[in-house]
Structures are given as C-alpha cells and as structure tokens.
Amino acid sequence: MATVHKIGRRKTSVARVYVKPGSGNITVNRKDAKEYFNTDVLVYKLNQPFLLTETAGQYDVTVNVFGGGITGQAEAIRLGISRALTEINAEYRLILKPEGLLTRDSRMVERKKPGQKKARKKFQFSKR
C-alpha cells in the first residue's frame, strides 16, 4: 500500500494528512504530535479514528496543518485521518460514520456587518 493523501478542514484550519503503514508515529508540522498539541485531549482526538478501528500503531501519519487555533487544527487532522482510513479499508466507514468522524463540521465564524459592533451585536440604541 502506498501513501494515502487526504484533506481535513474545520473552521479556518486545513490539514493535509499523509497515512502510510508504519509504527504509529504522528508528525504534525515536522514536530511530534505530543509536542505540537500540548494537551492530552487534543492528542486523544488525533488517535480517536485509530482507537475506534483498532488500528492503533499500524500507520504512520504525517500532517501539514495551517490556519485557525489548535482545537480546530486537531479536529481537521482527525477528519483527514478518518477519510484516509476509509480509503484504506471501506469497512472502517461503518465504524467511523456513526461516531461523526466523517462529517465535515461546516460551522464558521459569522462575518461582521457594517454599521454594527460585531456580527450580531449592535451599537447601543437611544430612543430619545
């Protein structure tokens, strides 16, 4: 099996994920995942597709990610890994889909409108 390349997105984060057979190393922007994402929750999010499909330690993952914050980046990587695993084995789709790992979360920040303070907040209204 050659390297599988998939893209995951979340908010303004874009993650290019490369999955190939290996020993379970996850590299994010040329750093180890535990070093790049300093909290255990974010590292768990990266490993979630592997834990659900029981393939932990079987694939090496290399990721280029940019944009957004660390939580959005972690969720973008998770989506990319999930998409790559479904391309490797179509049966993984039946496991990952009910958990919501193959769904692109399309929620974005609403834009600021002119004549307003923020997207929905208005300037104070004075009747008199």
Side-chain angles (χ1 to χ4, degrees), residues 1-122:
M1 182 194 101
T3 303
V4 177
H5 171 238
K6 288 290 172 184
I7 291 178
R9 293 186 184 95
R10 172 73 171 97
K11 290 189 176 181
T12 57
S13 301
V14 179
R16 291 176 296 187
V17 179
Y18 302 90
V19 178
K20 62 183 178 190
S23 58
N25 297 327
I26 300 177
T27 308
V28 181
N29 290 351
R30 297 185 178 160
K31 290 184 184 177
D32 186 55
K34 292 182 179 79
E35 188 182 329
Y36 190 84
F37 297 111
N38 45 15
T39 62
D40 292 334
V41 176
L42 297 177
V43 175
Y44 171 76
K45 282 187 179 185
L46 299 187
N47 290 319
Q48 202 174 357
F50 295 120
L51 297 172
L52 289 170
T53 58
E54 298 173 1
T55 55
Q58 293 181 22
Y59 299 102
D60 283 344
V61 181
T62 307
V63 181
N64 295 327
V65 66
F66 61 92
I70 56 169
T71 305
Q73 288 185 351
E75 293 181 12
I77 294 168
R78 180 174 70 177
L79 177 61
I81 291 171
S82 300
R83 285 177 172 175
L85 287 175
T86 54
E87 186 167 307
I88 292 167
N89 186 349
E91 293 175 8
Y92 292 153
R93 183 175 179 83
L94 301 171
I95 301 165
L96 297 171
K97 183 82 170 143
E99 297 292 327
L101 298 187
L102 292 173
T103 305
R104 158 66 160 108
D105 193 346
S106 61
R107 294 177 295 171
M108 303 286 272
V109 176
E110 192 174 331
R111 78 174 199 85
K112 182 197 172 296
K113 280 75 171 192
Q116 296 182 14
K117 203 172 180 80
K118 295 187 340 190
R120 298 197 177 199
K121 188 176 183 179
K122 315 281 194 282

